[in-house]
Amino acid sequence: MNAALKIKNETSEIISRNPATGEELGRVPELSAEDVKAAVERSREAFRKWRETSFAERRKLVMRAREVILAEMDEIALLISRESGKPVAEALSMEIAPVLDLMQYFARKGEKLLKPRRVDIGLYSLLGRSSKIVYRPLGVVGIISPWNYPFSIPLGETAMALMAGNTVVLKPSELTPLIGLKIGEIFEKAGAPEDVVQIVTGAGATGAALVEAPPDKIMFTGSVGTGRKIADEAAKKMTPVVLELGGKDPMIVFADANLELVAGAAVWGAFCNAGQSCSSVERLYVEETAAERLTALIVEKTKQLRVGDGTEPATDIGAMSSERQLEIVKDHVASFTKDGARILTGGKSKDLFFEPTVIAGANNSMRAMHEETFGPTLPIATFKTEDEAVRLANDSEFGLTASVWTRDLAKGKRVAERIEAGTVCVNEVLYTHGIGQTPWGGLKNSGRGRTHGIEGLMELVQPHHLHINRFAILPNAWWLPYGADAIETFKGFARYFASGSLFQTSKLMPRLLKRILDLRRK
Ligand code: NAD
């Protein structure tokens, strides 16, 4: 049963609304700190059994959860659209399809990726030692997630945590709690043992209570401000944290790129999910000679976009998630015009809808080129040289993703290597969160740690080092007692053994044997 149903002390309710219409979609309890703590305790209890399950059992659960999603795909896509505002098309293409792929990948490959690993310990192995790493689960993984990808982000992390042998307590965003509860229901229908996946609904205080509980690891996705608070609180209990935070992602376009293609990529990269992706294109830098043509193509494509209720099949751009988000976008657009940039199309809002907005004449001296907008805006700036493009792209407190566009792949790779970001694409944009096989995460204020990929899986386990001495019959040369002879032997260790060379180490052998035999006699 779901933790949200096991409530003693809920303080109040959260009303979930469709941002496109204002319609009430449902009410969920706001769980108290006591209820969250109890959920984590139940999770720890469930972990005792879950950690003993075979990979085959875990795989079965995750694959069954996929079956549930496939059977209810239309209903889930509609729920995502209604609660987050995004078009049904994006609920399918950017949430459901990628997370299904991630789930099958980790379900099928989890065992192989987490296979115990023998470590090459160099010359120590000649002394009869061996080392093996066994990847053990951590325990309870607390997932705190945002509203912009309310299904794929927490579900992907949950599936990975389960495959690694952990149990999960998930705190979904207060703006999308019904999708969070849906994730719990999916695992329930898939036959998850009781309390292996629990959902705790509530706002920031419920998230803070989850951090406080504490779980054995926190996977947080959200804003820099909240990330800082969580890191501070987690540090008090030494709870490890992965932080997936904001972005101000640059797109660098060289004049030799396929500009028609680039325009389509820029429009999708900046405006999909109404610009509310952490890896949205938030700054476009185009080589000066191509600026006019690229800008015209972008404006032409943007003007064709249809803004509306996400549940309408013909909608391209849905509602923004909240009034707060809308206010930030309005402020940034106003700030751009005040600083001298020009709105070429868009710029207006109605209710929670904001028109996709193309802004020309932007540059890095403008405030809105540095703060995360998280809305459907595409500011365009220009550069003259490769070095300038790199400098402008790196002039940011963020470093999540970036893209470089050129027909010259050598140039593309060269520039990509100089960009400070967790992921840099050449002739691609935004979508790599959808490739569950690759690590996801940022540099600078975009976060710490990784989700997805083998690197993300490693965040969900503890490497347990097993070291064995097969010839445990003689004392070690470095044991007590010491003396002048010991000091000479240790100098030999530093000079010869630590060189890693067998030939050099052979020079140490007589002294080493003597020291060992002396120790044995003592
Ligand atoms: P947010 O920080 O406001 O909230 C995120 C989650 O944290 C919510 O569940 C919220 O209830 C919870 N929370 C709030 N205060 C808390 C506290 N003190 N302790 C514990 N939990 C608390 O972020 P948001 O507005 O939901 O999401 C938008 C942000 O997320 C953007 O900055 C975006 O860039 C970022 N984001 C990053 C990634 C990524 O992978 N790097 C992905 C998606 C979104």
Side-chain angles (χ1 to χ4, degrees), residues 144-149 153 171-175 202-209 211 220-227 229-230 243-247 276-279 324-325 372 374 400 433 440-442 446 451:
I144 302 176
S145 55
W147 44 264
N148 64 335
Y149 288 92
I153 290 177
K171 207 298 278 174
S173 166
E174 55 274 36
L175 293 177
T206 307
V211 176
F220 171 74
T221 309
S223 61
V224 176
T226 309
K229 280 189 212 159
I230 290 178
L243 301 170
E244 299 292 347
L245 311 176
Q276 301 167 116
S277 302
C278 45
S279 49
R324 190 188 71 176
Q325 216 42 62
E372 187 181 45
F374 227 53
L400 188 57
H433 189 270
W440 181 264
S446 288
T451 58

Side-chain angles (χ1 to χ4, degrees), residues 27-101:
R27 291 176 184 228
V28 302
E30 181 145 29
L31 264 65
S32 68
E34 197 181 300
D35 283 321
V36 173
K37 201 168 172 44
V40 171
E41 277 162 16
R42 286 196 301 276
S43 190
R44 199 155 276 131
E45 199 50 44
F47 172 65
R48 285 172 198 266
K49 281 197 184 154
W50 185 251
R51 69 174 305 163
E52 301 302 334
T53 52
S54 64
F55 278 103
E57 282 170 81
R58 298 175 199 170
R59 182 181 310 129
K60 200 155 116 189
L61 174 64
V62 173
M63 293 306 273
R64 273 199 195 142
R66 287 185 82 258
E67 293 305 318
V68 175
I69 297 166
L70 285 168
E72 300 182 12
M73 187 151 68
D74 289 340
E75 183 203 315
I76 295 171
L78 192 62
L79 176 65
I80 295 172
S81 172
R82 291 174 80 204
E83 202 175 36
S84 72
K86 72 181 67 184
V88 167
E90 286 177 358
L92 288 163
S93 67
M94 300 184 75
E95 296 225 56
I96 296 177
V99 82
L100 284 172
D101 187 35

